[in-house]
Amino acid sequence: SAYWAPAMLDGAGNAVIPDQATIYYKGGFGGRTGISTIRTLPPGLRMIAGFDMANPTKAPHMYWYCVSMGPQQTVPQYSTKIVSCPKGDQVIGRLEFPACWDGVNLDSADHRSHMSYVVYSGTSAAGNCPSSHPVHLPEYSLGIFWPSDGNVANWELSSDVMPGMTHAPGTTFHSDWFGAWDPGIQQEWTTSCINLMRNCNAGE
């Protein structure tokens, strides 16, 4: 499969090379039902998540934090702007993709409409796919780790500084995804890992 995100630029306009990127395909969390019925990602599926230039006020399902903050911080404590992490720390941009598919279209004009996020009702931690997008797929999330040079306040994404953009650094974070997994391998990790609620990583 193919993964894309905008480049991170330092105060001098040079690209900051990430230390790593983490890619997760999950069955869901927070008491979500139906994990055993999650289907494999259809070959050729395309989607974009994060900042949407056509609808910039929509929740981007992305956030920024420092490694030193620790993984147990709650999402509201994260930032939608690049966090100024101290030198030696890592700046993390994390993005959640929608997991509900309309079951028909592999793409759409805006690369978003054929997908939807899980819908939550009331105070329940469980959620379900909306009737318009009934097929629950593995939930893909992306995390990119950039090494802090101690001058992060001057950093910005290449998408922040495109002509006509006036957004705060990091608020235009988005990513493109194109599905091209080997069908046999994908079926294996879907049925043997996600459907059975096993933690599989690094090929194990």
Side-chain angles (χ1 to χ4, degrees):
S1 295
Y3 310 83
W4 178 92
M8 180 70 77
L9 307 175
D10 63 17
N14 299 311
V16 181
I17 306 303
D19 283 336
Q20 65 176 340
T22 56
I23 293 169
Y24 290 101
Y25 292 94
K26 301 175 291 186
F29 50 87
R32 199 164 302 160
T33 58
I35 290 177
S36 63
T37 63
I38 288 176
R39 287 172 46 181
T40 57
L41 291 155
L45 182 70
R46 304 183 186 202
M47 55 181 164
I48 294 177
F51 177 77
D52 183 357
M53 189 178 294
N55 189 6
T57 61
K58 188 177 181 180
H61 295 273
M62 64 86 171
Y63 47 95
W64 296 90
Y65 62 104
C66 306
V67 166
S68 60
M69 291 173 63
Q72 301 306 316
Q73 296 279 5
T74 57
V75 171
Q77 293 173 288
Y78 293 140
S79 174
T80 56
K81 298 183 291 186
I82 297 174
V83 178
S84 189
C85 306
K87 187 173 183 179
D89 204 343
Q90 288 177 307
V91 180
I92 305 174
R94 190 167 296 282
L95 187 62
E96 304 289 340
F97 277 69
C100 300
W101 177 43
D102 67 10
V104 178
N105 301 290
L106 297 177
D107 201 357
S108 51
D110 60 0
H111 311 296
R112 299 172 187 264
S113 300
H114 60 304
M115 302 295 297
S116 175
Y117 286 92
V118 170
V119 175
Y120 295 89
S121 59
T123 59
S124 173
N128 296 287
C129 286
S131 59
S132 58
H133 296 74
V135 182
H136 195 175
L137 301 175
E139 301 179 5
Y140 161 56
S141 67
L142 169 70
I144 304 179
F145 295 64
W146 290 274
S148 172
D149 61 1
N151 194 32
V152 179
N154 294 321
W155 285 14
E156 55 196 358
L157 294 171
S158 57
S159 53
D160 296 331
V161 294
M162 293 188 302
M165 301 295 277
T166 59
H167 295 76
T171 55
T172 67
F173 189 39
H174 61 289
S175 180
D176 303 2
W177 181 90
F178 178 86
W181 277 89
D182 175 279
I185 293 174
Q186 179 175 242
Q187 186 66 46
E188 179 67 21
W189 64 253
T190 303
T191 57
S192 299
C193 295
I194 289 181
N195 292 151
L196 296 180
M197 300 178 69
R198 290 174 174 156
N199 183 8
C200 306
N201 61 78
E204 299 298 327

